[in-house]
Amino acid sequence: MKELYKGFAHVAITTVDMDESIAFYEKIGGTVTARSSAGEKLLALVEFGGLVLELIQPPEGELVPAGVGSIPHFAVYVDDLEKAAAAIKDAGVISFMTPEKRVLPDTFGGLQNWFFTGPSGEQIELLQML
């Protein structure tokens, strides 16, 4: 059955403010590739870190709460964790979830990571394999 699948399409992120979310992802190196709507729902596709993010702003009062089946975070591979984190901080992002990176030498062959949040609370992981 795997021959039926073409590849990864996108990660969907519900946002409370489309313009704020777009500005955030552009500030940290993302590029908006499309904007649209579905009824009153606003949509945007943003390329960021090798991923396509689909930003979704539902009509006011219709935010979908996180729950079963929600995606707790998405990760972006980086070659130099400290350099990537510094660039994001230099862009004005102050939402890193810990004061320092985590180093996990026994996890998946060794990795280090650092999480920060986007404007709608989405968690973004910078991930460097050791």
Side-chain angles (χ1 to χ4, degrees):
M1 184 153 46
K2 65 182 176 182
E3 68 277 359
L4 299 173
Y5 307 115
K6 291 184 174 183
F8 188 79
H10 64 264
V11 173
I13 298 172
T14 303
T15 180
V16 295
D17 185 322
M18 181 64 72
D19 292 332
E20 180 183 23
S21 290
I22 287 173
F24 174 82
Y25 283 104
E26 287 179 332
K27 179 169 57 175
I28 62 171
T31 303
V32 175
T33 60
R35 289 185 82 154
S36 189
S37 62
E40 294 180 51
K41 189 182 295 185
L42 302 177
L43 306 170
L45 296 178
V46 177
E47 290 182 358
F48 171 69
L51 298 171
V52 175
L53 309 176
E54 179 186 25
L55 303 178
I56 303 168
Q57 182 181 325
E60 192 168 331
E62 288 189 29
L63 283 181
V64 179
V68 175
S70 67
I71 298 171
H73 74 272
F74 66 90
V76 177
Y77 282 121
V78 296
D79 289 327
D80 185 326
L81 182 60
E82 288 84 4
K83 188 174 182 179
I88 289 169
K89 289 177 180 181
D90 287 347
V93 175
I94 58 169
S95 59
F96 279 80
M97 298 174 69
T98 57
E100 296 182 11
K101 68 181 180 181
R102 291 187 319 163
V103 179
L104 305 167
D106 298 322
T107 302
F108 300 127
L111 63 87
Q112 56 184 357
N113 64 7
W114 212 340
F115 286 83
F116 63 101
T117 58
S120 296
E122 67 273 22
Q123 294 183 15
I124 304 160
E125 176 185 9
L126 300 175
L127 175 62
Q128 181 180 355
M129 302 310 292
L130 300 176

